[in-house]
Amino acid sequence: MSIEEMDLSIRTYNCLKRRGITCLGDLMEMNLYKLLHIRNLGRRSAKEVLLKMREYGVTLSDLDDDFDINDLSNLEVISDKEIELPNFNTKFNKKDLNGYDDDWIDIKLVNKKLDIQSTNSKVIFEFIFTYKGLCGNILTDFEFYITTNTELKIKSNGYSKDVGDIPNKLDIWYDCKEHVIKIAPIFFIENQQIIEDGLKLTAVFKDVKQSYLIRKTFTLENSEWSKEELFAIQLHKFLI
């Protein structure tokens, strides 16, 4: 839906248009700080935008559906630049981000050593996602797989409820707080001998706000996950 169809006041419409906002989808991708700092928009016009968005059943990327729009005039909004970033000191063997901002998130295995739960052919690996709510975002399309030395790719067969969460999509709110999510994909492996040095364990997901595909890979060396690689590519450049 274009902003022309939203029946906004002329002043509000012109402010959005000058900012390059042309449709409802553009507004849904914004956070509250960016909306309130559109030149000449003001909080009264921002309230008008939020009320119109609510009529269509949507809101900004960092707001809950039940956000009290009437409190907007008294709300103090913090810039992303004023928030202290988490201290992530992972040393990557290879890091190719193609412009992706990864300062807000870190992905690790629970233990650096090969520490797995194995019952017959079931193997569970535990991932830790640590992130800080610097802006609204959605992570989706999670995929976990292992790649053997013979290039055999084995996808996960679900997730352990006892160990962690079951990812479908991860909603990230603009709350400036650090969060820790544990995800434990389950793999069914017929031959345990494939768990050897050179085995790769990969997590893939999409960052909706930045429109990137993210891939984090751990490689087993001397029975430890000592090699880490992080790769990101813009979704419009990604070809399957």
Side-chain angles (χ1 to χ4, degrees):
M1 172 180 287
S2 67
I3 60 173
E4 285 84 357
E5 300 173 275
M6 292 178 62
D7 194 27
L8 297 166
S9 66
I10 295 176
R11 182 178 187 277
T12 301
Y13 169 81
N14 287 336
C15 288
L16 296 180
K17 197 72 173 179
R18 284 194 297 268
R19 179 64 172 74
I21 298 169
T22 61
C23 63
L24 186 60
D26 292 337
L27 289 168
M28 292 169 60
E29 293 179 358
M30 298 189 74
N31 60 37
L32 184 57
Y33 176 83
K34 291 181 179 178
L35 178 69
L36 293 178
H37 286 77
I38 292 177
R39 187 175 181 180
N40 297 326
L41 185 66
R43 300 211 171 194
R44 180 178 297 179
S45 294
K47 181 178 178 180
E48 177 190 358
V49 171
L50 292 174
L51 287 171
K52 280 293 180 181
M53 292 180 72
R54 182 164 289 178
E55 288 181 15
Y56 296 108
V58 298
T59 188
L60 300 177
S61 62
D62 59 338
L63 295 185
D64 295 323
D65 293 336
D66 58 355
F67 173 77
D68 188 356
I69 298 175
N70 292 320
D71 285 344
L72 197 60
S73 59
N74 300 318
L75 184 66
E76 181 180 358
V77 182
I78 303 173
S79 163
D80 295 358
K81 296 180 180 179
E82 296 171 1
I83 302 171
E84 183 180 355
L85 293 171
N87 184 22
F88 295 146
N89 294 316
T90 301
K91 293 182 179 179
F92 292 94
N93 299 84
K94 184 178 180 181
K95 193 172 181 179
D96 189 2
L97 300 184
N98 294 299
Y100 179 71
D101 176 15
D102 72 324
D103 286 338
W104 64 281
I105 190 168
D106 188 39
I107 309 165
K108 294 184 181 297
L109 287 171
V110 173
N111 298 300
K112 281 293 182 182
K113 290 187 177 295
L114 180 57
D115 184 13
I116 61 176
Q117 302 175 30
S118 179
T119 305
N120 295 325
S121 60
K122 184 169 75 173
V123 179
I124 300 174
F125 295 98
E126 298 180 35
F127 285 86
I128 291 288
F129 284 70
T130 306
Y131 66 89
K132 200 160 191 177
L134 303 180
C135 60
N137 200 353
I138 297 175
L139 304 184
T140 187
D141 292 354
F142 285 88
E143 181 182 356
F144 298 86
Y145 59 87
I146 59 177
T147 308
T148 69
N149 286 327
T150 59
E151 299 301 321
L152 174 65
K153 183 177 178 180
I154 304 173
K155 293 186 178 182
S156 64
N157 295 83
Y159 304 91
S160 172
K161 296 181 182 178
D162 298 329
V163 177
D165 298 293
I166 299 177
N168 180 14
K169 69 173 185 177
L170 181 58
D171 292 309
I172 297 175
W173 304 110
Y174 180 61
D175 59 6
C176 310
K177 298 178 182 178
E178 188 169 301
H179 300 265
V180 177
I181 301 295
K182 184 181 291 186
I183 301 175
I186 300 172
F187 298 88
F188 290 97
I189 301 173
E190 295 181 0
N191 183 2
Q192 294 288 334
Q193 293 181 351
I194 68 171
I195 302 178
E196 59 182 356
D197 284 356
L199 183 75
K200 296 181 183 295
L201 177 58
T202 302
V204 179
F205 60 91
K206 291 179 182 178
D207 181 319
V208 175
K209 185 176 182 63
Q210 296 192 62
S211 190
Y212 272 81
L213 181 77
I214 313 302
R215 185 183 70 209
K216 176 71 177 284
T217 299
F218 301 84
T219 302
L220 194 64
E221 292 182 346
N222 299 319
S223 297
E224 293 188 9
W225 299 104
S226 57
K227 185 178 180 181
E228 300 182 19
E229 298 180 3
L230 185 64
F231 176 77
I233 189 169
Q234 289 179 296
L235 287 174
H236 72 272
K237 295 181 179 179
F238 179 67
L239 299 178
I240 299 177

